Amino acid sequence: MTEDLDDRFSSLTWDQIKILDQVLAEVIPIHGRGNFPTLDVKPKDIIHVVKEQLIEKQINVRDIRLNGSTASHILVKQNGTSYKDLDIIFGVELPSELEFQVVKEAVLNCLLDFLPKCVNKEKITAQTMKDAYVQKMVKVSTDHDRWSLISLSNNSGKNVELKFVNSLRRQFEFSVDSFQIILDSILNVYRATDCKLTEDSHPTVIAESMYGDFNEAMDHLKYKLISTRNPEEIRGGGLLKYSNLLVRDFKPADEAEIKSLERYMCSRFFIDFPDVAEQQRKIESYLRNHFIGEEKSKYDYLMTLRGVVNESTVCLMGHERRQTLNMITILALKVLGEQNIIPNAANVTCYYQPAPYISDRNFSNYYIAHGQPAIIYQPYPFHIQMQSGMV
């Protein structure tokens, strides 16, 4: 990498540009619901048609960026960094509700271009395309944040996520996912029919670290180190992402600082999701979206998350904390059940609420074999303790 702007920016090398080109040229299937056909989409093609639609509708496009784990994969492929969602950011002006609606309709109309030629498109509405191909839609309109997201469905979890950002205070969780690659220069090459990407003739492609210090963030990415700033600004505190990084063998960049950061993460998570049912829905959604094809990692993730909550939660009453820990425990057991994995019985202690007839003095526990220790029944809810840290 060469640093020729300021600390936030750096130019991509030729090897990185080649990986970027491969990512943008890869065919990604957008799976339709019901009888709707699969759309074969190249990122560079959908970016082009969406931008053209927005300009035609007089929506100003400042720049287009590749964000998050995909950008990290391009910058440091050799450490095994992978990506699932293809997160594309269109910098746009969204001064009113009208522009939000125009953006949504522009994207849905663009999808019509990717339908097979044999399909009669005349009677297919934007709402029909939304129902058939959109995984989720999000709109945020506050004093500080104005953006929308349209995520296109992919059954293997590799969703194409088109984000339209007027303003967004916090654009990253950790330094390793803070990179954005500005695509405009390479998109111009794709539109010019006489231009080709070669080592001797390629555009300057700029990447930016929203973390602030590009070189520091790159070191964190290369050596799999965890660092962030002001986690209390992140919705959910970054707690779920942090636990995911730990499971993937990332280590804290500063052991002394991380305990304080963990407390901030936990506090923000419980502020944003105060109810146990909300917490469970958020964790289950995270598992669905980030562990597709990695079912065996779910248990380790949940146990890691549980450990962080257990050690670093200071903002909850004792019973609230136990409720959350028990909820994560049950989710972990459910994951084991789905994988037909039974824990080693030597490491498991089960406590059951005794049946009503146990208190009957005339009841004989003749099922207990001689020479075996008596079962001690505790009047507690179902509870499990495992040597791996589950309580």
Side-chain angles (χ1 to χ4, degrees), residues 219-232:
D219 283 342
H220 294 164
L221 184 59
K222 288 177 183 176
Y223 301 111
K224 304 183 79 168
L225 299 175
I226 302 171
S227 181
T228 190
R229 291 174 179 163
N230 306 321
E232 67 277 7

Side-chain angles (χ1 to χ4, degrees), residues 23-88:
V23 168
L24 294 176
E26 179 187 5
V27 175
I28 299 175
I30 307 299
H31 297 108
R33 296 183 180 89
N35 295 324
F36 279 83
T38 296
L39 310 181
D40 291 327
V41 173
K42 293 180 180 180
K44 64 180 183 181
D45 292 339
I46 195 166
I47 290 171
H48 174 68
V49 295
V50 169
K51 181 180 179 180
E52 291 297 309
Q53 275 280 322
L54 293 177
I55 292 173
E56 184 178 321
K57 300 294 183 181
Q58 298 184 330
I59 300 291
N60 181 41
V61 181
R62 297 187 302 271
D63 58 21
I64 302 172
R65 300 179 175 221
L66 197 61
N67 183 55
S69 61
T70 313
S72 298
H73 167 78
I74 290 165
L75 294 173
V76 184
K77 186 179 180 182
Q78 62 267 26
N79 76 343
T81 303
S82 62
Y83 69 97
K84 286 188 170 65
D85 292 340
L86 197 74
D87 191 358
I88 301 161

Side-chain angles (χ1 to χ4, degrees), residues 327-342:
M327 176 269 292
I328 299 173
T329 298
I330 296 303
L331 287 180
L333 290 172
K334 181 181 176 183
V335 165
L336 291 181
E338 289 172 351
Q339 299 173 21
N340 293 321
I341 298 174
I342 301 175

Side-chain angles (χ1 to χ4, degrees), residues 36-161:
F36 279 83
T38 296
L39 310 181
D40 291 327
V41 173
K42 293 180 180 180
K44 64 180 183 181
D45 292 339
I46 195 166
I47 290 171
H48 174 68
V49 295
V50 169
K51 181 180 179 180
E52 291 297 309
Q53 275 280 322
L54 293 177
I55 292 173
E56 184 178 321
K57 300 294 183 181
Q58 298 184 330
I59 300 291
N60 181 41
V61 181
R62 297 187 302 271
D63 58 21
I64 302 172
R65 300 179 175 221
L66 197 61
N67 183 55
S69 61
T70 313
S72 298
H73 167 78
I74 290 165
L75 294 173
V76 184
K77 186 179 180 182
Q78 62 267 26
N79 76 343
T81 303
S82 62
Y83 69 97
K84 286 188 170 65
D85 292 340
L86 197 74
D87 191 358
I88 301 161
I89 296 178
F90 292 79
V92 294
E93 303 296 329
L94 300 171
S96 70
E97 179 64 29
L98 175 63
E99 283 74 22
F100 278 101
Q101 187 64 28
V102 169
V103 165
K104 183 179 78 170
E105 291 178 358
V107 173
L108 296 175
N109 287 333
C110 285
L111 294 180
L112 289 168
D113 294 342
F114 294 95
L115 285 169
K117 294 181 180 179
C118 59
V119 175
N120 184 357
K121 305 174 186 178
E122 293 181 3
K123 296 182 179 180
I124 300 178
T125 65
Q127 182 62 42
T128 301
M129 296 301 288
K130 173 182 176 293
D131 294 339
Y133 293 106
V134 173
Q135 177 77 16
K136 64 179 176 181
M137 298 182 74
V138 178
K139 184 181 78 171
V140 175
S141 179
T142 67
D143 291 340
H144 301 287
D145 296 329
R146 293 183 65 80
W147 58 272
S148 66
L149 169 72
I150 300 176
S151 178
L152 305 179
S153 301
N154 177 276
N155 294 344
S156 63
K158 201 170 191 176
N159 296 338
V160 176
E161 302 211 327

Side-chain angles (χ1 to χ4, degrees), residues 170-182:
R170 180 80 180 210
Q171 299 195 44
F172 73 99
E173 291 184 275
F174 296 89
S175 60
V176 294
D177 64 8
S178 70
F179 297 102
Q180 295 183 357
I181 297 174
I182 304 170

Side-chain angles (χ1 to χ4, degrees), residues 1 64 71 88 121 192-193 234 343 350 356 361 379:
M1 308 294 293
I64 302 172
I88 301 161
K121 305 174 186 178
T193 55
I234 309 170
C350 296
R361 294 183 180 181

